Amino acid sequence: KALGLEREDVEDRSDIEVWPENWVACQIFVNVGTQWRMSAGGPTGLDYNTVKWFMDLMKVKKRDRFETLQKIRTMEAAALTVMNSKGK
């Protein structure tokens, strides 16, 4: 609840399609999903130190990192929109 999520937001197990070119970014986003920077008003964004660490772990090539980060930032922005709209 501190993140503005309801149980159904977290427990939705329905399948989604992830295009192959987005698979690595999606995996990183899911795996760093507990690493949000917080303020008094709620989540402000992901901890990019953790994103970098996970890119290292997944061996994302240096030439692909900027594009991968942009994809993660797109998911981050969408998640923040949902989290910050709860209860308003």
Side-chain angles (χ1 to χ4, degrees):
K1 288 199 183 261
L3 293 176
L5 297 172
E6 299 294 329
R7 183 172 299 279
E8 57 272 8
D9 295 328
V10 178
E11 292 185 352
D12 182 4
R13 302 285 186 215
S14 58
D15 292 334
I16 61 167
E17 180 180 357
V18 177
W19 293 351
E21 61 268 24
N22 295 325
W23 183 250
V24 171
C26 186
Q27 289 297 300
I28 293 169
F29 183 77
V30 167
N31 280 285
V32 301
T34 59
Q35 303 301 310
W36 290 95
R37 296 281 182 162
M38 300 295 286
S39 73
T44 60
L46 287 170
D47 179 345
Y48 289 161
N49 293 312
T50 306
V51 171
K52 182 196 178 303
W53 177 83
F54 213 84
M55 280 194 200
D56 292 342
L57 187 65
M58 297 209 38
K59 296 181 172 49
V60 176
K61 295 177 183 169
K62 286 188 180 188
R63 69 173 183 252
D64 297 331
R65 287 183 178 221
F66 182 76
E67 182 180 356
T68 302
L69 179 61
Q70 293 309 104
K71 291 174 181 180
I72 292 167
R73 292 188 71 202
T74 298
M75 291 182 274
E76 173 190 42
L80 285 168
T81 297
V82 171
M83 289 187 285
N84 290 325
S85 70
K86 297 285 183 176
K88 291 184 179 178

